[in-house]
Amino acid sequence: MLVVDFGAQYAQLIARRVRELGFYSELVPHHFSAAQLLEKQPAAIIFSGGPASVYQTGAPTVSADILNSAIPIFGICYGFQLIAQGLAGEVAKTGTSEYGATAIQVEPTSKLFKNLPRTYQVWMSHGDAVAQAPAGFTVTASTAATKVAAFEDVARKIAGVQFHPEVVHSEHGMSVLKNFLVDIAGLTPNWRSDQVLEDAVAQVRNQVGNGRAIVGLSGGVDSAVSAAIVQRAIGDQLTAVFVDHGLLRTGEREQVEQDFVAATGIKLVVVDAKERFLTELAGVTDPEQKRKIIGTQFIRVFEAAASQLQANSPEPIEYLVQGTLYPDVVESGGGASAATIKSHHNVGGLPKDLQFKLVEPLNTLFKDEVRAIGRLLQLPEKIVSRHPFPGPGLAIRIVGAVDESRLEILRAADLIAREELTAANLDSQVWQFPVVLLAEVRSVGVQGDGRTYGHPIVMRPVSSEDAMTADWSRLPYEVIAKISSRITNEVPSVNRVVLDITSKPPGTIEWE
């Protein structure tokens, strides 16, 4: 399955939804030629949304060779309008826009809306609209403002919708996608996590061959699953290196040294590089600079570790294994027409003179897919289900310069938040729980009958499926209150705790 990205911020979410339905999918840029698309022999093609208007000069378009092929095609929003325009329908700026939750009315005889309610809520985001469907197409849905909100030509196996079925805000969105793939395209689901694991192992074995590799373990699920995949592929040719950069949370080094090694038997080398990282980060406040410094120092430490490891071996260590996920690549500007939101340390933060060849077995996968593979590899559940933690660690949860005293404050506050979340049995209800220190901000308080001038701590519990979108988690007030009370009572220099209730977008999950 090919998802053609026309510049939508969440085009990769479509590919993820298709995978959830049991169909392998790949995301490709809109500038792929018809020959390039056809060369991949797709079972079906989905056109994503996008910010352009199809009638504007220079807007992304699609070849008539694709529209007139026998390949099933589904269009979403901008992709829907591209189908209409490309097949002699009409797209126009109606003067009426639709954004957010919108009631849609569907035709009960439609294959696209098979077994769905006549009226339900979908998520709209458009200023243009299809004014007339192409010849041979049946209009199958409408809204109060949009007469043509969906259409289909079952004989040609082409359909489209103006709304976004891929987002959780659209009711029955997965059913719409499934109805297209199964009832219109005529496909049968055949993609499973165990196949992904087998393919990943085979790809690593083919890439590395008889070579040697090192993997950087962080304690998180991404690096742990990457290491386990590569170990399955090349065995003792892999050595794990855990870099303690001094930016870790309480207990993370012990988790790697004990839990992961016990589960896999992997060869592990621990490098204490705290002083090096803190020296390089001294006085640095810009978050992008922090990320790039940390990314560069990671590589330099790995290079030094590799040099020591191969000193006693005739075989050079050529490969570096990383737990890069697909959202890391996209947010670092690696997606088609995607803006750089922030440079992830293992993507945009890598030095140009990198001495390793990268092995990234997870760079086309989302977090939930990685967890599923981790369970297939029989990794401990406390590693597989662990909340995501950024590679740059607590450095990007300190708004301001990083030093040991500030790290101690943040570690203590973070530990309290994690302890209380676990005690309340809420770990599974929260995707991630960043605790942030506003190091450059001071707040007046009263503690012990005296005036204090301490730092604020920000709690940022969020719920998400894939980290591309997120909402703040509605934790019980009593849990929030207990965390706040413990932090202000037990953590020196903190006299105020605040709750971040911003969704993503507009805010990212991390503050930096």
Side-chain angles (χ1 to χ4, degrees):
M1 194 75 54
L2 290 183
V3 178
V4 182
D5 181 2
F6 286 96
Q9 183 65 54
Y10 306 114
Q12 71 281 359
L13 185 56
I14 303 170
R16 179 176 174 273
R17 297 301 189 209
V18 171
R19 294 183 190 185
E20 288 179 21
L21 291 168
F23 301 90
Y24 178 69
S25 62
E26 294 182 3
L27 191 66
V28 296
H30 64 75
H31 55 71
F32 261 33
S33 67
Q36 286 175 299
L37 292 175
L38 294 173
E39 184 181 0
K40 287 182 170 287
Q41 300 181 324
I45 298 176
I46 298 178
F47 298 153
S48 83
S53 294
V54 296
Y55 49 74
Q56 290 180 334
T57 302
T61 187
V62 63
S63 169
D65 291 341
I66 297 299
L67 291 173
N68 294 319
S69 70
I71 301 170
I73 297 173
F74 185 63
I76 295 173
C77 196
Y78 182 83
F80 172 60
Q81 296 168 13
L82 275 179
I83 293 173
Q85 182 190 60
L87 295 176
E90 182 182 346
V91 180
K93 189 170 185 64
T94 62
T96 302
S97 301
E98 287 179 310
Y99 297 100
T102 305
I104 193 170
Q105 293 79 43
V106 306
E107 292 296 325
T109 57
S110 164
K111 283 205 171 186
L112 197 59
F113 300 103
K114 174 184 172 183
N115 297 328
L116 297 185
R118 287 292 304 273
T119 301
Y120 64 92
Q121 295 287 312
V122 297
W123 193 259
M124 290 283 196
S125 181
H126 69 104
D128 301 330
V130 175
Q132 183 175 333
F137 280 75
T138 301
V139 176
T140 57
S142 62
T143 71
T146 304
K147 293 182 179 180
V148 185
F151 56 46
E152 62 190 55
D153 184 335
V154 175
R156 296 179 64 177
K157 299 184 178 181
I158 301 177
V161 295
Q162 183 59 68
F163 60 91
H164 289 270
E166 73 274 21
V167 302
V168 294
H169 311 291
S170 285
E171 296 176 351
H172 310 295
M174 290 292 280
S175 294
V176 171
L177 289 172
K178 182 179 180 180
N179 287 345
F180 167 72
L181 294 168
V182 175
D183 293 294
I184 295 179
L187 303 177
T188 302
N190 61 0
W191 185 80
R192 307 182 309 274
S193 294
D194 57 345
Q195 291 180 324
V196 178
L197 175 56
E198 290 175 10
D199 290 345
V201 170
Q203 289 171 7
V204 170
R205 193 174 289 137
N206 182 62
Q207 179 184 1
V208 178
N210 295 322
R212 296 184 64 202
I214 57 174
V215 57
L217 286 177
S218 67
V221 62
D222 304 336
S223 65
V225 173
S226 293
I229 288 173
V230 176
Q231 186 191 36
R232 176 171 290 195
I234 64 173
D236 288 343
Q237 295 163 233
L238 175 69
T239 300
V241 177
F242 178 79
V243 177
D244 186 349
H245 51 21
L247 308 171
L248 301 171
R249 299 184 296 183
T250 300
E252 290 183 313
R253 176 168 174 169
E254 292 76 13
Q255 183 185 56
V256 171
E257 290 181 308
Q258 297 170 16
D259 299 338
F260 186 75
V261 173
T264 63
I266 198 168
K267 292 186 295 184
L268 177 67
V269 174
V270 177
V271 180
D272 191 331
K274 299 175 189 175
E275 185 176 347
R276 176 174 184 158
F277 278 83
L278 290 180
T279 298
E280 292 293 329
L281 288 168
V284 177
T285 59
D286 179 75
E288 279 292 285
Q289 191 178 355
K290 286 182 187 178
R291 290 177 179 273
K292 292 184 186 304
I293 288 172
I294 292 167
T296 298
Q297 292 308 311
F298 259 121
I299 298 302
R300 297 300 172 237
V301 172
F302 283 135
E303 288 171 346
S307 179
Q308 292 179 3
L309 287 170
Q310 65 188 24
N312 298 321
S313 171
E315 297 295 331
I317 298 177
E318 301 178 82
Y319 297 93
L320 171 63
V321 180
Q322 293 201 136
T324 308
L325 301 192
Y326 191 65
D328 299 341
V329 176
V330 172
E331 290 195 336
S332 298
S337 306
T340 300
I341 298 170
K342 57 186 179 183
S343 295
H344 288 258
H345 77 285
N346 53 353
V347 184
L350 294 175
K352 294 180 180 180
D353 59 343
L354 180 67
Q355 297 179 22
F356 295 109
K357 298 173 185 176
L358 292 180
V359 178
E360 298 176 309
L362 309 177
N363 67 354
T364 61
L365 302 181
F366 294 89
K367 182 73 75 172
D368 59 327
E369 296 172 319
V370 173
R371 294 193 199 281
I373 292 173
R375 293 185 176 100
L376 285 175
L377 289 163
Q378 298 184 329
L379 294 179
E381 185 60 31
K382 56 185 171 182
I383 291 179
V384 173
S385 61
R386 181 177 182 263
H387 287 177
F389 186 62
L394 298 179
I396 57 168
R397 292 184 178 176
I398 294 175
V399 180
V402 179
D403 60 35
E404 187 56 43
S405 62
R406 290 175 172 180
L407 285 166
E408 288 179 0
I409 293 171
L410 185 52
R411 280 194 196 98
D414 171 86
L415 181 60
I416 289 169
R418 287 190 286 144
E419 286 176 344
E420 293 303 329
L421 195 70
T422 299
N425 294 315
L426 293 172
D427 286 316
S428 62
Q429 297 183 33
V430 175
W431 167 269
Q432 197 169 346
F433 196 167
V435 176
V436 180
L437 173 64
L438 303 184
E440 305 298 331
V441 177
R442 289 283 185 166
S443 169
V444 174
V446 178
Q447 291 171 299
D449 294 326
R451 179 185 185 274
T452 60
Y453 199 44
H455 296 290
I457 284 286
V458 180
M459 293 189 290
R460 174 74 166 136
V462 295
S463 300
S464 178
E465 290 188 353
D466 48 40
M468 299 309 297
T469 60
D471 195 10
W472 64 283
S473 301
R474 273 65 167 178
L475 299 180
Y477 288 153
E478 57 269 24
V479 175
I480 294 173
K482 190 168 184 180
I483 293 172
S484 175
S485 177
R486 281 194 59 192
I487 289 175
T488 53
N489 284 336
E490 300 175 25
V491 182
S493 303
V494 174
N495 62 3
R496 190 178 300 271
V497 177
V498 299
L499 179 66
D500 183 346
I501 59 170
T502 313
S503 63
K504 176 185 179 180
T508 56
I509 291 178
E510 300 291 346
W511 272 50
E512 294 197 332

